[in-house]
């Protein structure tokens, strides 16, 4: 393919990327998004620094001429060349693996390991925010007080989104724990807008090795059989290697529950885009009504905080 044709293809592929999608550099793994394209450049912005940078058409031509001479080792890419390499792999005549970037007439345009879909490009706080928005939008549409009356699709979506919000917020909570502990003294409380935290210490005990425990018991004349018992791990080994039946040594209770086995991140992202578009489109009385509703929610929160 001629350089002009490849340049046109690259611009088209960049313009066709879904909003929020990112590319990553092959070696340093820096994420960057496409801001815009022009006749002589593709402008990108790096997510880790906010740096905006033009990728020039003539530099792409130099890189493509080098590829015409043979494959390029990924590990030899210099930092300034890496974003060019990532964008080139969007074309339908170049491909990459873990080791090289090369000409490939059978390559599929837009399919590259350096492309991160919008649904996967969000960091953990963004995921929690987005999942919470989706859950809030769903709760506006359904009667969650009567789950048995919901249709199956709505009930499934309620379970999945509630699960995603729970797990995401729990990971976020754990990430805030260490910084808070560094700021909390032994008897100190920290007050935020929505609540208060304090340092709490819990002891977790685990037995010392058997020899040490038995020595301590023998010293005080305590019979060893008082602390010896059935080791579950050893029982499981016996079950695995003999004809002993589980029911002979275990009382088994069956616990039936719902397990989330998959999440459609693309559908979630599409739904989020729809919510964002509707909010942006709100004007006049409808927009004012939404703003008043948000103000009312904030007033209720303030009142609850003051009462607490």
């Amino acid at each position: 393919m001629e350089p002009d044709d490849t340049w046109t293809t690259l611009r088209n592929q960049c313009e066709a990327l879904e909003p929020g999608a990112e590319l990553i550099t092959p070696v340093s793994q820096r994420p960057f998004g496409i801001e815009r394209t022009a006749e002589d450049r593709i402008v990108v912005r790096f997510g880790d620094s906010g740096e905006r940078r033009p990728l020039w058409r003539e530099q792409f031509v130099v890189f493509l001429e080098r590829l015409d001479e043979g494959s390029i080792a990924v590990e030899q890419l210099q930092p300034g060349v890496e974003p060019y390499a990532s964008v080139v792999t969007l074309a339908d005549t170049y491909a990459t693996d873990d080791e090289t970037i090369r000409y490939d007439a059978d390559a599929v345009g837009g399919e590259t390991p350096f492309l991160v879909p919008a649904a996967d490009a969000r960091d953990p706080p963004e995921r929690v925010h987005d999942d919470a928005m989706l859950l809030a939008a769903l709760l506006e549409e359904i009667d969650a007080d009567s789950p048995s009356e919901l249709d199956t699709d709505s009930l499934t979506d309620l379970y999945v989104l509630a699960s995603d919000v729970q797990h995401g917020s729990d990971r976020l909570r754990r990430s805030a724990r260490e910084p808070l502990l560094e700021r909390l003294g032994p008897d100190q409380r920290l007050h935020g807008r929505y609540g208060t935290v304090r340092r709490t210490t819990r002891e977790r005990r685990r037995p010392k090795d058997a020899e040490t425990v038995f020595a301590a018991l023998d010293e005080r004349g305590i019979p060893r059989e008082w602390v010896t018992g059935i080791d579950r791990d050893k029982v499981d080994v016996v079950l695995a290697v003999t004809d002993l039946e589980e029911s002979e040594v275990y009382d088994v209770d069956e616990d039936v529950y719902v397990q989330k086995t998959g999440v459609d991140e693309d559908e979630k992202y599409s739904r989020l885009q729809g919510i964002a578009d509707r909010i942006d489109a709100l004007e006049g009385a409808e927009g004012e009504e939404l703003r008043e509703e948000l103000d009312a929610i904030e007033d209720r929160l303030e009142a609850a905080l003051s009462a607490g």
Side-chain angles (χ1 to χ4, degrees), residues 252-276:
V252 180
D253 296 320
E254 187 178 72
D255 184 19
V256 180
Y257 62 97
V258 175
Q259 180 183 22
K260 181 184 69 178
T261 59
V263 177
D264 191 335
E265 293 291 348
D266 290 335
E267 178 61 26
K268 286 166 65 173
Y269 188 80
S270 175
R271 173 65 170 157
L272 281 168
Q273 286 295 108
I275 293 173

Side-chain angles (χ1 to χ4, degrees), residues 128-142 144 157-166 271-272 275:
V128 175
H129 172 272
D130 293 348
D131 288 342
M133 280 190 62
L134 288 172
L135 181 59
L138 179 64
L139 292 175
E140 289 289 332
E141 300 171 359
I142 65 174
D157 287 342
L158 176 62
Y159 190 92
V160 169
L161 287 175
S163 174
D164 287 348
V165 170
Q166 175 193 4
R271 173 65 170 157
L272 281 168
I275 293 173

Side-chain angles (χ1 to χ4, degrees), residues 231-245:
D231 187 322
R232 176 171 177 171
D233 291 339
K234 293 179 180 179
V235 172
D236 288 343
V237 171
V238 172
L239 283 172
V241 300
T242 71
D243 60 357
L244 184 67
E245 294 292 332

Side-chain angles (χ1 to χ4, degrees), residues 26-27 63 66-67 70-77 85-86 88-89 94-104 112-114:
V27 181
F63 189 77
R66 172 64 181 83
L67 280 173
S71 62
I72 297 177
V74 170
E75 64 180 11
Q76 295 179 359
L77 292 171
S86 299
V88 162
T89 60
Y94 297 94
T96 183
D97 51 32
D98 292 336
E99 298 181 354
T100 63
I101 296 174
R102 63 192 182 280
Y103 175 81
D104 186 345
T112 167
F114 305 139

Side-chain angles (χ1 to χ4, degrees), residues 1-11 64 88 91 93-94:
M1 183 182 290
E2 294 297 319
D4 286 348
D5 294 334
T6 304
W7 172 248
T8 300
T9 297
L10 291 177
R11 286 189 62 193
L64 294 173
V88 162
T93 48
Y94 297 94

